């Protein structure tokens, strides 16, 4: 499998695209004025405790206060280390209003919700994640070889014992560490100890609310989080960022140093790989499949629903075979769309009903296999009695649609508008209300062109009947700036 990373940099935003076998799989966007907060560490102040929800709101200096649940507040033992596996205590015994709290953002503010916080602090390097308040050494579950897992765990513990002085803490070995040597692990541990020493000093000096640690910018996180051993090349269209990434790679990721390339071409980098087209398509609900079938993907506040349809695909043998092939193709497309659109939370997939249990198993296995490539944690259930597949995908930042779009100011996110006929009848009812409340000689209706046209044409007899009923003249005036649902009744 060939893999490339594209980094597009402008004065206002940085965009990164992950391309596998020629297809765009992921898009990450960071705007200068709206950077993400996941990974940032803050010195905050508890502003409200909610016993009924076992949670608290913490002011960290953002637009909205952050939210922390009791389960995300780690009780400490006598040595100041986290007590792992302890029962979740009453929130009132953990925090109080006005208390200062060191927290880390685990989920960006989304819609009207504030950032999700935790006191389980961690800082990341290339191969390791350092957890200053635990004694645990863990290995990424994506490293499946038992011998390699044991080697890495022993290596970290051996190197840590040689380097550690007064420092406490534990580590998680990241997926990208598979196959690394002792020197690379040692370099990460030394870097993380130095970083935490600097942060500890900041924590003591800062007054809440204040940011203590900001995660790396997107182009640097690309080197740390998205680069895999099978990466073929990493192309950047900014010479300045190219230089910074080469410097970073030389110190922390020398194995990919030669794979970093500067793209000087006239044609925009994202156009060259059709990334712009993929982004535009990912903002729509309908996803066509090669066979002629299609997906309908709808994102709501509570969940994401995906409906699979055969469309124009009629197959060659029988109906069951047609349905099976469509569902197989859909499973591959769904896994890609979840990554591309960065959809998270509860996801309900309505595959076309399959009566053959072997077909169901193969479709589910295909979906599982494609989701294994996803960097974000997913959990998948079997096919329910209704033929639905339920799954979850961890949501840490806004989806692509939420990042790039705002709700329609006309329909307010409904996706539909009231018909001109409906608006006409609303106008009739409003006129009746007004004439009963106020004494007036004439009524002027201001509305959009479509509504006025209907009032003067199809509804003209109803307008005449209404004028006769209320004993007043009704006049109409087109307001070009009004949308279809907007109107005003003027009493003269």
């Amino acid at each position: 499998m060939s893999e490339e990373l594209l980094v597009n940099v402008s004065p206002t935003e940085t965009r990164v695209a992950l391309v596998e076998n020629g297809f765009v799989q992921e898009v990450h966007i960071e705007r200068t004025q709206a950077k993400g907060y996941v990974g940032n560490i803050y010195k905050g102040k508890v502003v409200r405790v909610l016993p009924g929800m076992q949670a608290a709101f913490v002011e960290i200096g953002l637009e909205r206060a952050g939210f922390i649940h009791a389960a995300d507040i780690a009780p400490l033992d006598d040595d100041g280390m986290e007590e792992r596996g302890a029962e979740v205590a009453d929130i009132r015994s953990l925090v109080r209003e006005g208390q200062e709290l060191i927290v880390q953002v685990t989920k960006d503010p989304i819609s009207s919700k504030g950032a999700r916080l935790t006191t389980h602090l961690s800082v990341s390097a290339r191969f390791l994640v350092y957890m200053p308040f635990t004694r645990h050494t863990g290995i990424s579950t994506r490293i499946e070889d038992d011998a390699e897992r044991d080697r890495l765990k022993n290596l970290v513990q051996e190197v840590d014992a040689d380097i550690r002085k007064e420092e406490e803490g534990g580590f998680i070995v990241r997926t990208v560490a598979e196959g690394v040597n002792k020197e690379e692990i040692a370099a990460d541990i030394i870097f993380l100890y130095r970083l935490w020493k600097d942060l500890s000093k900041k924590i003591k000096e800062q007054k809440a609310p204040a940011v203590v640690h900001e995660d790396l910018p997107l182009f640097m996180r690309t080197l740390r989080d998205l680069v895999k051993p099978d990466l073929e090349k990493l192309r950047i269209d900014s010479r300045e960022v190219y230089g910074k990434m080469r410097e970073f790679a030389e110190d922390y990721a020398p194995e990919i140093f030669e794979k970093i390339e500067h793209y000087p071409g006239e044609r925009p980098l994202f156009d060259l790989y059709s990334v712009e087209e993929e982004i535009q398509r990912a903002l729509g609900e309908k996803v066509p499949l090669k066979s002629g079938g299609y997906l309908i993907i709808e994102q709501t506040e509570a969940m994401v629903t995906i409906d699979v349809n055969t469309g124009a695909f009629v197959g060659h043998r029988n109906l069951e075979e047609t349905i099976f092939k469509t569902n197989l193709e859909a499973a591959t497309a769904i896994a890609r769309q979840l990554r591309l659109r960065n959809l998270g939370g509860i996801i309900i997939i309505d595959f076309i009903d399959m009566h053959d249990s072997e077909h169901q198993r193969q479709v589910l296995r295909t979906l599982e296999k494609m989701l294994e490539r996803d960097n974000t944690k997913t959990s998948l259930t079997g096919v329910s009695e209704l033929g639905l597949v339920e799954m979850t995908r961890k949501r840490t930042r806004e989806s692509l649609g939420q990042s790039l779009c705002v709700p329609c100011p006309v329909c307010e996110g409904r996706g539909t508008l009231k018909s001109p006929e409906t608006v006409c009848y609303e106008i009739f009812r409003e006129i009746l209300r007004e004439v009963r409340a106020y004494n007036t000689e004439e009524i002027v209706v201001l509305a959009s062109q479509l509504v006025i046209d209907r009032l003067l044409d199809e509804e003209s007899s109803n307008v005449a009947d209404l004028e006769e009923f209320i004993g007043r003249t009704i006049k109409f005036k087109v307001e070009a700036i009004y949308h279809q649902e907007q109107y005003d009744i003027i009493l003269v």
Side-chain angles (χ1 to χ4, degrees):
M1 181 179 69
S2 67
E3 187 175 286
E4 297 179 47
L5 279 167
L6 315 176
V7 182
N8 166 237
V9 183
S10 71
T12 54
E13 66 178 0
T14 300
R15 301 186 299 170
V16 174
L18 173 63
V19 181
E20 293 177 359
N21 297 329
F23 293 96
V24 182
Q25 299 291 340
E26 295 181 22
V27 176
H28 301 259
I29 299 173
E30 182 176 88
R31 289 178 173 162
T32 308
Q33 301 300 321
K35 293 174 67 176
Y37 304 101
V38 172
N40 289 3
I41 298 175
Y42 293 87
K43 189 173 188 177
K45 183 176 285 187
V46 179
V47 291
R48 192 178 176 196
V49 178
L50 307 170
M53 294 178 65
Q54 275 287 75
F57 285 106
V58 183
E59 178 57 55
I60 57 175
L62 303 183
E63 185 179 343
R64 291 184 294 274
F67 176 86
I68 188 166
H69 191 270
D72 295 317
I73 302 175
L76 304 179
D77 61 21
D78 295 337
D79 296 326
M81 305 300 283
E82 293 179 4
E83 293 182 1
R84 291 274 169 159
E87 286 188 11
V88 178
D90 189 311
I91 187 72
R92 288 169 291 191
S93 68
L94 298 172
V95 294
R96 66 183 186 280
E97 290 186 11
Q99 176 185 340
E100 291 187 344
L101 202 62
I102 309 303
V103 293
Q104 189 164 27
V105 177
T106 60
K107 186 185 292 185
D108 276 331
I110 298 175
S111 187
S112 60
K113 299 176 182 176
R116 183 71 183 260
L117 310 174
T118 183
T119 63
H120 300 281
L121 306 185
S122 64
V123 286
S124 300
R126 170 90 172 122
F127 303 113
L128 301 173
V129 176
Y130 175 54
M131 302 173 294
F133 300 119
T134 73
R135 298 185 179 90
H136 172 71
T137 299
I139 311 293
S140 167
T141 54
R142 289 180 180 271
I143 299 176
E144 297 177 352
D145 184 82
D146 290 337
E148 177 65 5
R149 291 174 66 86
D150 291 339
R151 184 189 77 87
L152 287 168
K153 187 169 186 176
N154 293 333
L155 192 59
V156 170
Q157 291 173 344
E158 178 189 336
V159 173
D160 186 32
D162 293 339
I163 295 172
R164 187 189 298 269
K165 294 176 183 177
E166 72 280 358
E167 293 89 351
E168 294 276 3
F171 295 94
I172 293 176
V173 181
R174 308 180 68 180
T175 308
V176 74
E178 194 167 5
V180 301
N181 58 37
K182 184 175 181 179
E183 289 71 25
E184 291 169 311
I185 292 292
D188 260 20
I189 290 177
I190 292 169
F191 165 76
L192 288 168
Y193 277 153
R194 285 176 182 168
L195 175 59
W196 183 248
K197 191 174 181 180
D198 291 341
L199 295 183
S200 299
K201 189 178 177 182
K202 271 189 180 181
I203 288 170
K204 292 176 182 176
E205 295 173 351
Q206 296 276 25
K207 289 186 177 180
V211 59
V212 174
H213 168 68
E214 286 189 284
D215 205 4
L216 294 170
L218 177 59
F219 63 87
M220 291 299 192
R221 296 202 306 275
T222 299
L223 284 174
R224 189 188 70 190
D225 299 338
L226 297 180
V227 169
K228 296 177 183 175
D230 50 1
L231 179 74
E232 286 194 357
K233 57 187 171 183
L234 196 163
R235 309 186 78 180
I236 306 111
D237 61 7
S238 162
R239 185 166 290 279
E240 180 185 355
V241 170
Y242 164 74
K244 290 180 179 177
M245 293 183 79
R246 293 266 288 188
E247 286 178 19
F248 186 90
E250 192 171 20
D251 292 335
Y252 297 104
E255 72 279 6
I256 62 167
F257 181 80
E258 295 300 328
K259 297 178 181 180
I260 301 175
E261 300 178 3
H262 175 245
Y263 173 73
E266 290 290 326
R267 190 178 177 191
L269 181 60
F270 272 30
D271 287 355
L272 188 67
Y273 285 79
S274 302
V275 181
E276 298 289 5
E277 293 176 22
E278 288 292 345
I279 291 174
Q280 293 306 315
R281 281 199 286 264
L283 297 178
E285 287 185 348
K286 190 172 182 178
V287 179
L289 303 175
K290 285 185 179 179
S291 64
Y294 61 91
L295 310 176
I296 296 294
I297 302 176
E298 294 184 343
Q299 182 182 10
T300 66
E301 182 72 20
M303 67 178 66
V304 175
T305 59
I306 303 175
D307 186 34
V308 183
N309 298 275
T310 54
F313 182 49
V314 294
H316 302 290
R317 295 183 184 176
N318 54 51
L319 179 61
E320 186 67 24
E321 193 68 23
T322 300
I323 290 171
F324 175 53
K325 287 186 176 179
T326 304
N327 282 338
L328 274 180
E329 187 183 1
T332 303
I334 287 167
R336 176 171 175 257
Q337 289 298 321
L338 293 179
R339 294 174 68 187
L340 181 60
R341 298 169 184 242
N342 191 35
L343 298 172
I346 299 170
I347 299 163
I348 306 295
I349 305 170
D350 184 9
F351 285 108
I352 306 167
D353 289 343
M354 295 173 286
H355 301 296
D356 189 325
S357 59
E358 177 60 21
H359 285 176
Q360 289 183 8
R361 192 193 64 79
Q362 288 188 45
V363 168
L364 205 60
R365 178 61 193 136
T366 299
L367 181 60
E368 287 175 341
K369 188 175 180 181
M370 299 307 297
L371 288 172
E372 287 173 2
R373 302 178 186 175
D374 198 340
N375 293 313
T376 302
K377 184 179 179 181
T378 58
S379 177
L380 188 66
T381 68
V383 181
S384 73
E385 292 180 2
L386 296 175
L388 305 175
V389 173
E390 300 171 9
M391 65 169 289
T392 60
R393 185 173 185 270
K394 189 175 181 182
R395 180 165 54 185
T396 57
R397 56 190 172 92
E398 291 184 324
S399 68
L400 188 66
Q402 290 170 327
S403 301
L404 301 180
C405 305
V406 296
C408 170
V410 179
C411 74
E412 298 180 344
R414 294 197 313 270
T416 56
L417 289 175
K418 293 176 184 175
S419 67
E421 180 183 20
T422 299
V423 177
C424 288
Y425 293 156
E426 283 187 3
I427 289 171
F428 294 158
R429 291 194 296 272
E430 183 64 24
I431 289 173
L432 286 171
R433 278 194 291 270
E434 294 290 341
V435 296
R436 285 169 183 162
Y438 302 100
N439 187 20
T440 179
E441 294 183 1
E442 189 176 270
I443 296 168
V444 180
V445 176
L446 307 180
S448 65
Q449 183 72 61
L450 280 173
V451 172
I452 296 295
D453 286 348
R454 185 171 183 95
L455 286 166
L456 296 175
D457 191 358
E458 291 97 326
E459 306 296 335
S460 57
S461 60
N462 290 328
V463 170
D465 290 343
L466 183 61
E467 283 182 323
E468 184 178 349
F469 180 75
I470 63 175
R472 293 167 179 80
T473 302
I474 303 174
K475 293 185 177 179
F476 303 100
K477 183 179 178 182
V478 174
E479 280 290 347
I481 62 171
Y482 280 18
H483 59 73
Q484 189 165 303
E485 293 187 1
Q486 193 174 358
Y487 63 87
D488 280 307
I489 310 294
I490 310 296
L491 305 178
V492 181

